[in-house]
Amino acid sequence: MAMRAAPRKGENFELAADLNSEYKEKRKDAIKRVIANMTVQKDVSGLFPDVLKNMQTDDLEQKKLVYLYLMNYAKTQPELVILAVNTFVKDTDDPNPLVRALAIRTMGCLRAEKIIDYLCDPLQKCLKDDNPYVRKTAALCVAKLYDLKPELVNENGFLDQLRDMIADSNPMVVANTVAALSDIHAAAVASGAPKDTLAINTEIVNKLLVALNECSEWGRVAILNALSRYTAEDAGESEHICERVVPQFQHANASVVLTAIKVIMIHMRGITSENLTKTLIRKMAPPLVTLLSNPPEVQWVALRNINLLLQKRPDILTNEMRVFFCKYNDPLYVKVEKLDIMVRLANEHNVDPLLSELKEYAQEVDVDFVRRSIKVIGQTAIKIDEAAERCVNVLLELIGTRVSYVVQEAVVVMKDVFRKYPSTYEGVIPTLCANLDELDEPEAKASLIWIIGEYAKKIDNADELLGIFVDTFTEESYPVQLQTLTAVVKLYLQKPESSQALVQKVLNTATKDCDSPDVRDRAYIYWRLLSTDPGAAKAVVLAVRPPITLPRTTVSPALLEELLGEIPLLASVYHKPAETFVGRGRISADSVQRKATDDRLATQKALQTVAAGQQAENLLDFSDDVPNEGQPSGLAATTVLASTPAAANLLAGTSSNPLDDLVSIFGGANLGASSTPASSNPMGGFGFGASPLTPAPAITPVMSPQPPAQPQAQSGQDDLLGLF
Amino acid sequence: MLFFRAHYTQAFFIFNQKGEVLISRLYRTDLKRSIADVFRIQVVSNSDVRSPIITLGSTSFFHVRINNLYVVAVTKCNANAALVFEFCYRFISIAKSYFGKVDEEAVKNNFVLIYELIDEIIDFGYPQNSETDTLKTYITTESIVSSSIAAEESSKITTQATGATNWRRGDVKYKKNEAFVDVVETVNLSMSAKGTVLRADVDGHIQMRAYLSGTPECKFGLNDKLVIDKSERGGGDAVELDDCRFHQCVRLDEFDSTRTISFVPPDGEFELMRYRSTSNIKLPLRVIPTVNEIGTTAVSYVITVKTNFNNKLSATNVVVRIPTPLNTTNVDCKVPIGKAKYVPAENVVVWKIPRIQGGQEVTFQGQASLTSTTHRQVWARPPIDVDFQVLMFTSSGLIVRFLKVFEKSNYHSVKWVRYLTKASGSYQIRPNQSHVRLAAPTVMRRQRTTARDATHAQKDERPGVPPTLAA
């Protein structure tokens, strides 16, 4: 043990000796070795005093190294850091601006209470420095200080100084000032301070617009962010801002382009002139396409945002379908996004190239990609009536390949096609049934069973086919069991003479041998319905279902507006509000701002989101309404929700944890509005507990918890889930 | 790993392939170093990562892979995703220009310099100055002793680093003032066997090397017509550019209002603009393939390559890659020019032609002999791919109309313009598919097997077998 500990000790011992060496080079070399050890997470904190001795030097590189060390260990050695203060303060008076900036930058990063008190005077000086490089560094230092000790910032009037600096002659200083103010603002709101630290007015906007054209690319992003938070006084000002920001579309940096698009999307709301809106939209298309020539990661961010933009303005990229075709070496995440966008852009004019492209994708090797491609073929069929037949033909060709996962996915997709175009493609059914043996995934099985049940009247051997599934009933998964049950009942109601025995058998098995309460419950209900009132059973089981359509948006309108205001932040990439993935109190500066300025609106929006989510859940019920009218009922739901205690809480702004409240509203609303017990399982929740207005047609389509309304929302979730 | 604050990063790391931390810089105290372990477990040792952003709890990891390294930025905020990735790539390009290549060895050898750079280009999570040219004036591989540079000089540096033209030093001097402009176009083509163009477009960029004294003001003109509205297309010799993007030195507001490209160039080499064109693309090479399967034992090829430009020009470094079936034993090739060779590892015949003059036509004739296999596979017929370079030719028809240089001292400057059109890996001609269509039932079988084979191929990571299966 002692033997082993010795060399370790020896290394630090040696380093300490070298750090105190009389030779300059040796000392510097020792510092480098210390930093190297620090990086690989060896503990070199014991060398603190020795390293500190080397701080006073003319060698800038050495100085930086010592600073690096200090930043790392200042927190653990607060009483020793005090020894460094003098050098720092002296450095902020150095004739060399690089040294001054370095000193003020590092002091802000030390994060030691003791040194912070000594920071204010030099910072005061540096904010007024002649040299812009020092000023821009000092501006950010204020934000650092606020992060550690907000009171000091307030006491010293640094905020006012920062606000004055927005008028600085140097664009970089302006950009950093704006960044610092936004940062402070975010921190202030998170800690509950009511005052707006970055109140933007017309005068400031004009200053920002001037600086915008001159500062560095990163500075532009900061300034554009600030502009996106400003509410224009009138239409004229909105137009002015848009006109000045549009040139940024040509910037080489993708983040500048996307942030500029955000500003335009926000300020376009205030523009009354139709022509100008059109021009702006038109100008947006080419840069969006060009974003696709970036590295894949940036492309992906761009694609996710394009997806959002298309939900708001489906006409943006009408003629650009081809650029979204996948390249065979694109990473999967890029391909998946492109697929999604292709469906959005599909119309009767470009559907042919799209289909031949999709057919090719469906024969690639990545199973995930192949499945998604097939899904997209189905979505295209549902979206474009004229092309449905061509899509079905492609699907049949794919089924012909007999590749197991291709066939299964195609069957699932065919079921959706039947939902949209009932009784149109019955000729396909024999081909589907021929592949019965190939199916081993529950979803594919359930889909095929649903099709058989739905068209039982026209399939001569429907009883035989369903018989196969009834025989293996107890071995199947629950979704398949539920579907078999329903399909057999449908068969019985249409052809009672040939299937009496079958229905008896399935009801028996389902009620006696099945361990899922959902399956048992459904079987009992059917049994009772059939035995008491066959007419009612018919009305329930064979009810006409509303045709499905492809939803234009995957998020609620209010959330869409919010997300468009967050291009290209993480929220817009995930298509989720920041609160869902950012820890408490760490919401972005932007969203915080909006919450602060318009709390009630934000709350309403949150409620709408929840309501819409609920609506999506209700979709599975296929209640009396056509599922697509999510918006009005979503809004209506807001008022209903407001009566629940949690919502009232939220509206009053008293709650501390928005997430908890959302959850509680969700639960509460569920109980209050539809008295459906909240259930984690969408199958389980679909239910019979629903109000009498929602009769059992629910049963039939439930086998497909993802009618095309779902896959996209689903895929969004998948993305996020996949991350874990 | 780099951390960005607020919209930006809160920490920045560089990992090697084993997940060891090479560089770590944290900007927030609420992030623990153990966060690096989380990344190692979730990303580095996870073979199935399907997104460049991973969010775990409230912490998001952005990562970019370069050679055997992961460049990782971490944030706990609703960060600006585009900015973070742009920044990661900028960091990589800065690192490249400082020490050549970016790999584990380079990072280990230069870690001091990297820390210095990181602290300069990002402060408190906000990206600062990232212009290599400026950075190199005050961050160098040799150490600077502060007394040796006069305070005056460093204030010059700092003014430049924050100035409106932060990409250029003010005191540049050349004996001979020269500017070189290279217009480089990459043609992407996808053509059916019948000669129908399925997709043709040009990715162009204009590379400039400016060796000009003082602070020159440049004006640059092209025969372009930027099409914003597709319905407004017209004739004339103007080239239609679908979109263009400029280096940050170009005054975007001026371009927006008057369509002139004016700028103060950085010193040395930089990319002035990038553009895209999709209309009236001139294809420098025509390829006419005839591929026939003779029974199950042989495939015959007649492939004609025609040049489609002025006979004063020539295509150089032409490489035609002709795919052969997987069970090929050998290929008998006859070529009038260049060398053709069967490369079994990639299942292609590579036909290299050093030069083809304009207006010339060359034909490849060959026959591939196949082994008989027990389970008969029908061949998927991947596209034929052609790489080439043509000097002084642009596929889009773009021409530099003028480049004017204005400077206070009014010196004379020499300008050179070069054009180059090239293709590498994206100029593809699909061979005829008639055979495959006829034998529909076999195709199904075939696809089943090939799909499986291709999965293996992917695991082996054999290059040259495009995973795309033809219909």
Side-chain angles (χ1 to χ4, degrees):
Chain A
M1 187 65 200
M3 282 295 282
R4 228 174 272 163
R8 258 183 60 98
K9 205 173 187 179
E11 193 186 356
N12 273 0
F13 180 74
E14 245 171 58
L15 280 172
D18 284 356
L19 285 168
N20 292 306
S21 159
E22 54 186 312
Y23 302 106
K24 230 170 128 185
E25 280 311 305
K26 210 168 186 178
R27 291 202 303 264
K28 189 169 169 183
D29 186 61
I31 299 172
K32 283 189 184 169
R33 272 155 50 211
V34 170
I35 302 284
N37 282 347
M38 192 178 87
T39 304
V40 295
Q41 301 181 19
K42 280 187 197 162
D43 184 16
V44 282
S45 58
L47 298 166
F48 202 90
D50 303 296
V51 176
L52 209 59
K53 277 179 204 153
N54 291 290
M55 189 169 158
Q56 195 101 345
T57 170
D58 282 344
D59 185 337
L60 254 183
E61 189 189 19
Q62 181 176 332
K63 197 174 262 270
K64 284 180 187 170
L65 288 172
V66 175
Y67 283 180
L68 192 63
Y69 179 90
L70 283 181
M71 286 186 257
N72 224 338
Y73 289 114
K75 250 192 104 179
T76 52
Q77 312 267 345
E79 45 315 305
L80 286 171
V81 175
I82 216 81
L83 298 172
V85 166
N86 267 335
T87 319
F88 274 123
V89 175
K90 216 177 107 214
D91 276 359
T92 57
D93 271 328
D94 197 278
N96 185 338
L98 285 174
V99 176
R100 294 203 295 275
L102 183 63
I104 203 80
R105 186 172 77 199
T106 314
M107 275 179 99
C109 294
L110 285 180
R111 315 193 67 91
E113 284 271 325
K114 291 222 167 99
I115 208 159
I116 287 301
D117 299 324
Y118 295 90
L119 177 60
C120 295
D121 291 336
L123 183 56
Q124 199 77 261
K125 223 167 29 196
C126 287
L127 282 171
K128 294 191 186 105
D129 201 286
D130 291 338
N131 192 298
Y133 186 82
V134 180
R135 286 204 301 278
K136 72 142 188 149
T137 313
L140 273 186
C141 192
V142 177
K144 294 179 194 169
L145 182 62
Y146 192 92
D147 195 42
L148 292 170
K149 250 189 172 178
E151 349 31 296
L152 278 182
V153 173
N154 296 330
E155 278 164 27
N156 286 284
F158 285 137
L159 283 182
D160 291 324
Q161 265 187 350
L162 275 187
R163 284 188 204 113
D164 292 342
M165 283 167 74
I166 292 181
D168 199 284
S169 58
N170 186 295
M172 277 279 265
V173 177
V174 178
N176 271 8
T177 305
V178 169
L181 280 172
S182 310
D183 198 89
I184 292 171
H185 178 69
V189 172
S191 65
K195 227 176 98 205
D196 190 355
T197 49
L198 177 52
I200 306 176
N201 54 31
T202 316
E203 194 190 343
I204 293 179
V205 165
N206 286 330
K207 281 172 194 154
L208 293 181
L209 286 174
V210 171
L212 179 62
N213 271 317
E214 287 170 358
C215 70
S216 78
E217 48 204 316
W218 316 115
R220 289 181 202 217
V221 176
I223 290 181
L224 287 168
N225 270 332
L227 284 174
S228 72
R229 299 223 306 263
Y230 173 65
T231 331
E233 306 261 303
D234 51 34
E237 192 172 22
S238 297
E239 282 175 26
H240 177 65
I241 293 175
C242 287
E243 274 161 13
R244 295 291 294 271
V245 169
V246 157
Q248 304 303 323
F249 284 177
Q250 253 70 45
H251 202 282
N253 187 317
S255 58
V256 176
V257 176
L258 281 167
T259 316
I261 285 177
K262 161 167 76 176
V263 176
I264 300 286
M265 287 309 284
I266 288 174
H267 286 286
M268 214 159 59
R269 293 172 198 158
I271 292 180
T272 42
S273 148
E274 287 250 323
N275 268 340
L276 184 60
T277 313
K278 256 192 201 149
T279 320
L280 289 173
I281 291 292
R282 222 165 45 203
K283 282 192 173 172
M284 215 176 265
L288 282 177
V289 172
T290 304
L291 288 175
L292 296 186
S293 57
N294 278 303
E297 292 86 0
V298 183
Q299 253 186 69
W300 181 66
V301 172
L303 285 167
R304 293 289 292 172
N305 283 298
I306 289 173
N307 195 330
L308 272 186
L309 285 166
L310 284 175
Q311 299 193 18
K312 174 79 184 166
R313 304 233 167 226
D315 51 338
I316 278 188
L317 295 162
T318 336
N319 299 322
E320 304 285 1
M321 158 91 87
R322 275 168 190 273
V323 297
F324 293 100
F325 285 173
C326 301
K327 299 196 182 109
Y328 82 92
N329 51 359
D330 278 339
L332 183 74
Y333 53 82
V334 169
K335 284 184 176 171
V336 167
E337 273 319 298
K338 282 185 172 174
L339 279 179
D340 217 28
I341 290 171
M342 278 187 234
V343 195
R344 293 194 178 281
L345 294 177
N347 56 35
E348 52 269 46
H349 306 297
N350 58 21
V351 72
D352 283 326
L354 173 65
L355 277 179
S356 70
E357 202 63 26
L358 288 173
K359 203 169 117 190
E360 227 163 86
Y361 301 159
Q363 293 166 9
E364 288 205 10
V365 286
D366 189 310
V367 178
D368 215 16
F369 180 55
V370 168
R371 281 174 183 275
R372 282 169 191 270
S373 306
I374 297 171
K375 271 212 177 84
V376 169
I377 297 177
Q379 289 170 4
T380 316
I382 289 159
K383 186 175 176 193
I384 309 165
D385 294 4
E386 294 85 350
E389 193 174 343
R390 277 170 277 172
C391 296
V392 170
N393 287 338
V394 172
L395 286 174
L396 282 179
E397 268 181 70
L398 291 174
I399 290 173
T401 62
R402 307 185 78 88
V403 177
S404 165
Y405 54 86
V406 172
V407 174
Q408 310 214 33
E409 197 62 42
V411 170
V412 175
V413 164
M414 269 320 288
K415 173 256 316 172
D416 292 335
V417 175
F418 278 116
R419 287 278 279 118
K420 161 88 187 196
Y421 308 103
S423 321
T424 314
Y425 299 107
E426 283 152 11
V428 175
I429 295 175
T431 323
L432 296 182
C433 294
N435 289 291
L436 203 74
D437 306 337
E438 303 259 349
L439 308 183
D440 51 17
E441 292 160 22
E443 201 193 348
K445 273 189 190 174
S447 300
L448 187 62
I449 296 170
W450 179 82
I451 293 170
I452 296 173
E454 192 66 16
Y455 295 94
K457 211 175 194 167
K458 291 166 183 160
I459 305 171
D460 292 337
N461 59 345
D463 48 340
E464 238 173 79
L465 294 170
L466 290 176
I468 303 172
F469 291 100
V470 174
D471 290 341
T472 54
F473 193 80
T474 46
E475 295 152 32
E476 302 288 358
S477 61
Y478 300 138
V480 179
Q481 291 185 356
L482 285 170
Q483 223 27 250
T484 312
L485 189 57
T486 309
V488 171
V489 173
K490 276 186 196 166
L491 171 71
Y492 173 70
L493 288 170
Q494 293 175 52
K495 290 198 247 174
E497 62 290 345
S498 64
S499 51
Q500 178 103 43
L502 195 64
V503 79
Q504 197 61 48
K505 185 174 172 196
V506 79
L507 289 175
N508 255 330
T509 324
T511 47
K512 294 211 176 73
D513 305 333
C514 184
D515 48 6
S516 157
D518 291 331
V519 179
R520 279 202 310 270
D521 281 354
R522 195 187 281 190
Y524 278 125
I525 293 265
Y526 283 150
W527 206 329
R528 201 148 301 166
L529 266 173
L530 290 171
S531 55
T532 51
D533 186 356
K538 255 188 186 158
V540 168
V541 180
L542 298 178
V544 181
R545 272 161 305 279
I548 51 172
T549 50
L550 209 57
R552 229 187 68 192
T553 56
T554 53
V555 291
S556 72
L559 181 61
L560 180 60
E561 283 301 324
E562 181 195 342
L563 292 179
L564 286 174
E566 305 213 341
I567 292 171
L569 307 189
L570 263 182
S572 74
V573 171
Y574 283 152
H575 295 189
K576 290 185 172 219
E579 300 84 32
T580 55
F581 58 87
V582 170
R584 229 182 301 168
R586 262 195 224 88
I587 306 155
S588 94
D590 252 7
S591 43
V592 163
Q593 176 97 15
R594 230 167 299 121
K595 285 236 166 54
T597 50
D598 204 344
D599 224 345
R600 290 196 76 84
L601 188 84
T603 315
Q604 287 241 325
K605 179 210 70 212
L607 290 174
Q608 265 187 42
T609 312
V610 174
Q614 220 194 350
Q615 190 72 18
E617 196 94 332
N618 284 344
L619 265 187
L620 304 178
D621 287 4
F622 286 91
S623 52
D624 36 353
D625 268 337
V626 182
N628 250 48
E629 291 172 357
Q631 189 182 357
S633 30
L635 277 166
T638 315
T639 44
V640 176
L641 286 170
S643 61
T644 67
N649 230 356
L650 202 65
L651 280 168
T654 50
S655 75
S656 54
N657 179 1
L659 262 184
D660 284 355
D661 277 337
L662 282 182
V663 172
S664 67
I665 288 169
F666 196 82
N670 244 342
L671 288 166
S674 64
S675 69
T676 308
S679 160
S680 58
N681 177 3
M683 291 291 205
F686 83 90
F688 293 91
S691 61
L693 278 176
T694 339
I699 298 154
T700 353
V702 152
M703 44 84 49
S704 58
Q706 293 110 320
Q710 286 301 87
Q712 297 190 352
Q714 195 81 2
S715 71
Q717 268 170 22
D718 281 352
D719 281 347
L720 212 63
L721 289 175
L723 301 176
F724 291 86
Chain B
M1 196 135 81
L2 195 76
F3 271 100
F4 284 93
R5 249 184 82 83
H7 291 270
Y8 308 138
T9 312
Q10 293 178 330
F12 184 72
F13 294 85
I14 298 178
F15 288 90
N16 67 7
Q17 215 160 8
K18 290 181 218 138
E20 292 161 352
V21 181
L22 301 181
I23 297 285
S24 102
R25 187 76 180 83
L26 280 70
Y27 295 97
R28 289 277 299 230
T29 41
D30 55 352
L31 284 163
K32 297 191 188 84
R33 271 173 180 266
S34 60
I35 207 119
D37 300 327
V38 175
F39 181 81
R40 180 169 59 238
I41 294 159
Q42 295 294 336
V43 179
V44 181
S45 46
N46 184 352
S47 59
D48 194 37
V49 176
R50 303 213 135 175
S51 164
I53 308 177
I54 312 278
T55 298
L56 300 160
S58 59
T59 310
S60 303
F61 298 80
F62 299 71
H63 70 276
V64 168
R65 290 197 70 168
I66 165 92
N67 298 329
N68 46 13
L69 299 177
Y70 289 86
V71 177
V72 183
V74 185
T75 180
K76 284 198 163 194
C77 306
N78 186 10
N80 185 325
L83 181 135
V84 174
F85 282 129
E86 279 280 356
F87 180 83
C88 290
Y89 276 99
R90 183 63 50 84
F91 169 77
I92 292 169
S93 77
I94 292 173
K96 258 186 200 145
S97 84
Y98 263 93
F99 34 84
K101 55 179 182 178
V102 186
D103 57 15
E104 185 169 349
E105 202 192 338
V107 170
K108 277 184 170 160
N109 291 340
N110 295 288
F111 76 95
V112 172
L113 181 65
I114 291 177
Y115 277 123
E116 210 177 319
L117 278 171
I118 290 177
D119 274 335
E120 193 53 48
I121 60 182
I122 186 164
D123 187 8
F124 201 44
Y126 291 97
Q128 300 291 308
N129 178 31
S130 59
E131 287 302 314
T132 323
D133 202 37
T134 313
L135 285 171
K136 281 189 173 165
T137 58
Y138 62 103
I139 297 181
T140 53
T141 30
E142 311 97 53
S143 56
I144 308 172
V145 178
S146 71
S147 59
S148 77
I149 25 166
E152 200 183 320
E153 184 170 344
S154 45
S155 60
K156 228 191 261 167
I157 291 170
T158 52
T159 319
Q160 189 204 333
T162 56
T165 53
N166 65 355
W167 51 86
R168 187 178 178 91
R169 284 176 292 159
D171 56 347
V172 187
K173 269 207 181 71
Y174 288 102
K175 246 187 207 162
K176 200 174 165 193
N177 289 294
E178 288 181 301
F180 299 87
V181 176
D182 286 340
V183 179
V184 183
E185 297 197 336
T186 308
V187 203
N188 303 309
L189 171 78
S190 173
M191 188 187 257
S192 76
K194 288 182 206 119
T196 331
V197 175
L198 302 172
R199 176 185 171 183
D201 56 69
V202 165
D203 284 325
H205 61 111
I206 297 180
Q207 202 73 23
M208 191 164 167
R209 276 169 298 152
Y211 305 113
L212 301 165
S213 315
T215 311
E217 175 75 37
C218 298
K219 279 201 191 308
F220 189 70
L222 299 166
N223 62 333
D224 74 308
K225 192 179 92 185
L226 193 73
V227 194
I228 298 296
D229 189 353
K230 294 234 156 149
S231 61
E232 286 170 15
R233 287 193 176 193
D237 66 337
V239 170
E240 292 175 1
L241 298 186
D242 290 29
D243 184 33
C244 40
R245 305 202 304 188
F246 297 103
H247 184 267
Q248 65 162 321
C249 67
V250 176
R251 292 190 189 89
L252 298 178
D253 44 342
E254 212 166 308
F255 177 76
D256 192 59
S257 53
T258 63
R259 288 270 170 267
T260 46
I261 303 168
S262 64
F263 55 98
V264 178
D267 189 39
E269 184 164 356
F270 69 103
E271 186 183 276
L272 178 64
M273 72 179 276
R274 252 173 198 283
Y275 59 90
R276 210 158 36 78
S277 177
T278 50
S279 47
N280 301 324
I281 305 295
K282 281 177 253 163
L283 298 173
L285 293 186
R286 276 294 306 274
V287 179
I288 304 145
T290 316
V291 182
N292 283 315
E293 282 167 58
I294 306 166
T296 55
T297 55
V299 178
S300 79
Y301 296 89
V302 180
I303 288 153
T304 306
V305 179
K306 263 188 198 169
T307 50
N308 196 13
F309 45 79
N310 192 306
N311 57 15
K312 283 185 189 128
L313 306 178
S314 60
T316 53
N317 300 332
V318 181
V319 180
V320 186
R321 303 169 73 86
I322 306 156
T324 57
L326 301 179
N327 54 343
T328 305
T329 48
N330 70 308
V331 185
D332 181 27
C333 319
K334 279 189 210 102
V335 285
I337 180 173
K339 274 184 193 148
K341 205 176 132 195
Y342 171 54
V343 184
E346 296 172 36
N347 291 306
V348 286
V349 174
V350 178
W351 178 21
K352 286 186 182 164
I353 312 164
R355 173 183 296 269
I356 313 177
Q357 211 61 39
Q360 209 181 343
E361 181 180 320
V362 290
T363 303
F364 166 95
Q365 286 182 303
Q367 182 150 343
S369 328
L370 313 179
T371 52
S372 49
T373 46
T374 43
H375 57 293
R376 185 174 167 270
Q377 286 189 4
V378 179
W379 172 42
R381 295 193 176 222
I384 295 167
D385 183 88
V386 189
D387 292 357
F388 59 84
Q389 295 188 340
V390 185
L391 262 178
M392 301 316 281
F393 175 88
T394 52
S395 261
S396 65
L398 192 85
I399 292 168
V400 177
R401 283 261 185 264
F402 60 84
L403 171 62
K404 287 186 186 136
V405 180
F406 305 93
E407 218 276 333
K408 285 194 297 266
S409 59
N410 226 350
Y411 54 71
H412 176 72
S413 55
V414 189
K415 296 111 178 175
W416 306 85
V417 181
R418 264 198 321 181
Y419 301 93
L420 175 71
T421 291
K422 61 174 185 176
S424 54
S426 56
Y427 201 83
Q428 300 188 329
I429 296 92
R430 297 184 188 171
N432 41 337
Q433 300 280 333
S434 55
H435 275 65
V436 185
R437 285 263 161 80
L438 285 174
T442 11
V443 182
M444 297 163 185
R445 284 283 136 65
R446 187 250 319 170
Q447 266 153 354
R448 245 179 137 181
T449 43
T450 37
R452 211 177 294 135
D453 287 348
T455 323
H456 290 308
Q458 200 189 30
K459 270 181 200 147
D460 301 340
E461 288 190 347
R462 270 190 295 178
V465 186
T468 328
L469 299 177

